[in-house]
Amino acid sequence: MEEKNSNQQILAAEEQAYSSAARIKYYDIVIDKGQGALITDVDGNEYIDLLASASSTNTGHAHPRVVKAIQDQAAKLIQYTPAYFANSQAARLAPRLAALAPISGPVEVGWGNSGSDANDAIIKFARAYTGRQYIVSFTGAYHGSTYGSMTASGVTLNMSRKMGPLLPGVVKVPFPSPWDKLEKESEEEFVDRLFAAFMQPFETYLPAEEVAAILIEPIQGDGGIIKTPPAYMEKVYRFAKQNGILFAIDEVNQGLGRTGKWWSIQNFPGIEPDLMSVGKSLASGMPLSAVVGRKEIMESLGPAANTYTTAGNPVTAAAANATLDVIEEEHLVERSAKLGQKAKDFFEQEQAKYDFIGDTRMYGLNGGISIVNPATGKGDIEATTKLMYRIFELGAIIISLRGNILRFQPPLVITEAQLAKAFAIIDQAFSELAAGKLALPKNAEELGW
Ligand SMILES: Cc1ncc(COP(=O)(O)O)c(C=O)c1O
């Protein structure tokens, strides 16, 4: 048996040698094991995981099919670099993923190790194919931590502070977040106003014919789980098509069943990307990503323009093949939609009960719950911190986005009983906040984004 408080001891030792740039702090736990939607720390405390390792374990922790695929492949061949020779797992995966992509016509894929490098690859292929240099992305976006993807991101100053110059040629426009809507403004007026802001660079300094791609998360993840208003998406898409600009989407967080569809872009009928990035849950959390795009775009660069020694590694590719089997055979896309409806109903009922719940957004088993000060309607970071910490104490892992949004993204295999238990925990925390019973944790200042 581990001694009680192994969590603290291990963390204290790790802290001596671990860069604070590499962790967003939440709870002082060291995760030891996981099964389905449950995780256990080194002291044996069990939690319902409402984060799914940042949406990277949609099939749940240690899914037996995925575990077996990894073990079997590891015993045969752990690595031979796909940069030089094909391996049977990755070779099988490529056409499978290409066929799943929401892109008509011939599609090709290229492997990476992270969502970040898949987004960098989007920039490379878009520039090569169009012969244009500019990329347009959105505030509130999180595309990753490499220079290209970080430059395209716009969610926290800590991702650009002290590290410039960033990648040249990336222009950011405001994402239409619900809290930017003015009082009494209709949805149509809001869309028109934000689209005018989108157009401003194009009308003043950014020649559309020099723009290679518009890169967007159709549903922003780290930005707060926010669906792009469909009418706005339509306008941006039309503008891209009219001007020969590639329409590129980031499906790293919201893809693979998370939104109740295979891909989040499928929540926008009639809109088809030219390029997209996939990662996180692709291999159930093993490091595998992909840039996926129309064949002619993916053929615009030659050998070595997008190779990585371990990308498409046989073990990760075996995990991905098993992951796709599980998503298909266990109907996880449909499950996400069905359980997501339950979650939507639950949070809407809570919203009716508690005036500090400002807005609830749920797309599949995937939601953002804004916590606000009822007097002002503004985001309440303190209340959010109290809530998420209390939920943690009661046995579920939930974190925040943008300080005042609860992030709800359980593994898609969560059982209905586990989900009901999570709702009971969350309701208890809400009721305790309403009764003024919750205090801030001691290290509240350090927690969160
Ligand atoms: C939408 C989106 N794109 C890209 C990334 C970066 O992926 P990775 O952390 O695997 O590099 C993330 C990670 O959170 C993400 O949410």
Side-chain angles (χ1 to χ4, degrees), residues 54 113-117 119 142-145 149 217 221-222 250-254 277 279-280 407:
N113 296 294
S114 68
S116 303
D117 69 47
N119 284 319
Y142 185 85
H143 295 299
S145 206
S149 61
E217 290 172 82
D222 289 324
D250 181 336
E251 292 277 355
V252 172
N253 185 312
Q254 297 283 299
S277 53
K280 289 195 188 264
R407 171 180 186 168

Side-chain angles (χ1 to χ4, degrees), residues 219 225-227 258-260 336 361-367:
I219 295 178
I225 318 285
I226 314 165
K227 183 177 175 182
R258 177 52 65 191
T259 73
S336 173
R361 303 172 293 279
M362 194 68 59
Y363 316 103
L365 206 44
N366 172 57

Side-chain angles (χ1 to χ4, degrees), residues 352-373:
K353 266 195 326 202
Y354 300 112
D355 57 4
F356 53 78
I357 302 179
D359 185 25
T360 64
R361 303 172 293 279
M362 194 68 59
Y363 316 103
L365 206 44
N366 172 57
I369 294 93
S370 296
I371 305 300
V372 299
N373 177 334

Side-chain angles (χ1 to χ4, degrees), residues 107-348:
V107 170
E108 289 186 350
V109 312
W111 304 126
N113 296 294
S114 68
S116 303
D117 69 47
N119 284 319
D120 280 11
I122 281 182
I123 298 174
K124 292 193 269 184
F125 282 104
R127 283 180 168 174
Y129 177 72
T130 59
R132 304 171 173 191
Q133 64 159 311
Y134 289 106
I135 303 292
V136 172
S137 65
F138 292 81
T139 57
Y142 185 85
H143 295 299
S145 206
T146 50
Y147 262 100
S149 61
M150 189 174 74
T151 307
S153 301
V155 76
T156 162
L157 290 175
N158 273 355
M159 284 181 60
S160 50
R161 179 176 274 147
K162 304 186 203 170
M163 293 182 287
L166 303 185
L167 191 72
V170 178
V171 170
K172 251 161 277 178
V173 290
F175 185 81
S177 302
W179 44 85
D180 293 330
K181 207 162 155 186
L182 304 174
E183 229 180 303
K184 301 210 179 89
E185 192 174 38
S186 72
E187 179 70 14
E188 197 184 342
E189 288 163 344
F190 175 55
V191 164
D192 286 347
R193 182 167 60 82
L194 269 290
F195 185 67
F198 169 88
M199 285 301 297
Q200 214 173 43
F202 293 99
E203 289 162 353
T204 48
Y205 64 90
L206 182 64
E209 69 277 12
E210 293 182 22
V211 175
I214 295 168
L215 172 61
I216 190 168
E217 290 172 82
I219 295 178
Q220 275 197 348
D222 289 324
I225 318 285
I226 314 165
K227 183 177 175 182
T228 310
Y232 176 88
M233 187 69 129
E234 191 68 47
K235 283 175 191 280
V236 169
Y237 183 65
R238 208 175 322 131
F239 178 78
K241 293 286 123 184
Q242 282 164 353
N243 290 281
I245 300 171
L246 298 181
F247 190 74
I249 59 169
D250 181 336
E251 292 277 355
V252 172
N253 185 312
Q254 297 283 299
L256 294 154
R258 177 52 65 191
T259 73
K261 312 263 184 199
W262 265 98
W263 308 108
S264 67
I265 194 68
Q266 291 165 327
N267 293 285
F268 301 84
I271 294 192
E272 190 178 308
D274 298 297
L275 282 166
M276 70 179 201
S277 53
V278 184
K280 289 195 188 264
S281 279
L282 176 58
S284 289
M286 294 281 276
L288 178 69
S289 69
V291 56
V292 181
R294 289 199 286 113
K295 185 182 176 78
E296 56 181 345
I297 302 170
M298 298 299 292
E299 287 298 327
S300 64
L301 286 169
N306 195 49
T307 55
Y308 307 89
T309 305
T310 54
N313 156 287
V315 179
T316 62
N321 277 313
T323 298
L324 296 183
D325 291 342
V326 169
I327 295 177
E328 284 164 4
E329 288 167 26
E330 297 186 12
H331 308 290
L332 293 189
V333 178
E334 296 78 5
R335 187 176 175 79
S336 173
K338 185 179 126 199
L339 297 187
Q341 186 56 50
K342 278 186 196 272
K344 187 171 191 302
D345 294 345
F346 165 73
F347 282 110
E348 283 175 1

